[in-house]
């Protein structure tokens, strides 16, 4: 069964460092998303991406964040200068054109 | 905010019992979805109900939607220990993004 894959599963970084989280969405999907979940809290929308551009972003997705789909298969989230409060589980998701989102297993980011 | 709010926040039942979780939201939607999350894992889609539907079934799951009250419920019948997880409702306005609620932690004891 096709699935969304994310790497790394866990990354530990120092405050101020750049981090890139990678995702391979399901191949025939058209819409791509990043969500994050701070430990014990709700799942928060960060950004949606369609037709090679950002279609919507939340207030959380400030200038420190960027997304790219560099090669037609990978979908990356970059955090330029990490802060302590960026520590969270980051989920990539994709969908075709129906409402159902398919999520990856997440990348746990720990900022020290 | 379009955010869904689930209640209860936590629910503890015995195997074989039914579990009911409720979700309320604030703005108009065109679909509402329920997801399940095992601890530390990704979210798994359970069921989608559109705004023009009132009830939907999938296996042991039954979802209702009342758009006049801006609320939905998820019923899991004959629960099993393997149903232990967090359950989230998510509302969609235009199929572009989903806004997730705060979740219900369900514990099913053998």
């Amino acid at each position: 069964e096709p699935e969304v894959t994310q790497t790394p599963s866990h990354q530990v970084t120092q405050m101020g460092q750049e981090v890139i989280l990678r995702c391979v969405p399901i191949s025939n999907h058209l819409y791509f998303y990043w969500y994050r979940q701070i430990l014990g809290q709700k799942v928060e929308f960060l950004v949606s991406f369609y037709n090679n551009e950002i279609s919507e972003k939340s207030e959380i997705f400030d200038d420190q964040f960027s997304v790219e789909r560099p090669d037609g298969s990978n979908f990356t989230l970059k955090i330029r200068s990490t802060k302590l409060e960026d520590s969270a589980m980051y989920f990539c998701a994709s969908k075709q054109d129906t409402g159902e989102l398919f999520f990856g297993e997440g990348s746990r980011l720990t900022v020290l | 905010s379009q955010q869904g709010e689930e209640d209860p926040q936590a629910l503890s039942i015995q195997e074989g019992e039914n579990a009911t979780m409720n979700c309320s939201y604030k703005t108009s939607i065109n679909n509402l979805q329920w997801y399940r999350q095992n601890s530390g894992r990704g979210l798994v889609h359970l069921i989608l109900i559109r705004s023009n539907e009132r009830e939907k079934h999938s296996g042991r799951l039954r979802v209702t939607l009342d758009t006049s009250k801006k609320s939905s419920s998820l019923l899991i019948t004959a629960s099993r220990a393997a149903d232990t997880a967090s359950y989230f409702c998510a509302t969609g306005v235009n199929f572009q993004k989903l806004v997730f609620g705060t979740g219900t932690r369900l514990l099913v004891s053998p």
Side-chain angles (χ1 to χ4, degrees):
Chain A
E1 186 174 327
E3 58 182 17
V4 175
T5 56
Q6 290 186 241
T7 54
S9 56
H10 189 190
Q11 179 152 359
V12 181
T13 190
Q14 295 291 325
M15 193 168 54
Q17 294 296 303
E18 176 182 285
V19 160
I20 297 176
L21 305 178
R22 292 182 166 79
C23 170
V24 180
I26 295 173
S27 61
N28 62 345
H29 284 190
L30 302 174
Y31 299 85
F32 313 108
Y33 301 82
W34 283 100
Y35 283 81
R36 80 170 186 191
Q37 185 179 34
I38 295 171
L39 186 63
Q41 298 188 23
K42 61 182 167 72
V43 178
E44 300 174 292
F45 169 79
L46 292 179
V47 65
S48 59
F49 193 87
Y50 170 73
N51 201 25
N52 287 319
E53 60 183 18
I54 290 173
S55 48
E56 190 167 356
K57 59 184 181 180
S58 72
E59 292 174 353
I60 302 168
F61 194 89
D62 62 21
D63 291 344
Q64 293 300 310
F65 290 86
S66 62
V67 289
E68 241 186 358
R69 189 159 160 79
D71 56 12
S73 63
N74 291 285
F75 180 51
T76 62
L77 175 70
K78 182 193 289 187
I79 309 174
R80 287 188 186 79
S81 179
T82 49
K83 305 188 283 284
L84 294 176
E85 54 265 37
D86 293 328
S87 294
M89 196 78 158
Y90 288 80
F91 292 104
C92 174
S94 68
K95 71 181 177 87
Q96 203 171 32
D97 53 3
T98 62
E100 176 183 352
L101 281 183
F102 291 80
F103 281 83
E105 289 293 330
S107 292
R108 181 174 299 284
L109 176 64
T110 301
V111 182
L112 303 176
Chain B
S1 165
Q2 185 188 328
Q3 180 181 335
E5 298 286 344
E6 285 93 333
D7 88 273
Q9 288 187 331
L11 180 60
S12 185
I13 60 174
Q14 299 290 123
E15 264 192 329
E17 294 179 339
N18 294 342
T20 299
M21 289 159 265
N22 302 296
C23 168
S24 61
Y25 57 92
K26 295 178 182 176
T27 64
S28 296
I29 62 171
N30 67 11
N31 75 93
L32 185 143
Q33 305 181 35
W34 285 89
Y35 286 79
R36 166 196 166 122
Q37 184 183 35
N38 284 35
S39 181
R41 305 291 300 273
L43 293 102
V44 176
H45 180 265
L46 297 176
I47 197 163
L48 180 154
I49 186 165
R50 298 184 193 279
S51 59
N52 60 355
E53 297 174 310
R54 292 294 167 259
E55 189 171 309
K56 206 160 182 181
H57 297 253
S58 176
R60 293 184 295 114
L61 305 180
R62 173 178 167 252
V63 167
T64 63
L65 178 64
D66 187 335
T67 52
S68 66
K69 294 180 180 177
K70 292 186 168 58
S71 67
S72 172
S73 68
L74 171 67
L75 168 68
I76 304 174
T77 60
S79 62
R80 306 165 182 166
D83 294 328
T84 294
S86 290
Y87 292 83
F88 295 88
C89 71
T91 51
V93 171
N94 55 13
F95 290 110
Q96 279 294 328
K97 77 176 187 189
L98 290 179
V99 177
F100 284 81
T102 50
T104 293
R105 293 188 310 280
L106 174 66
L107 173 64
V108 183
S109 302

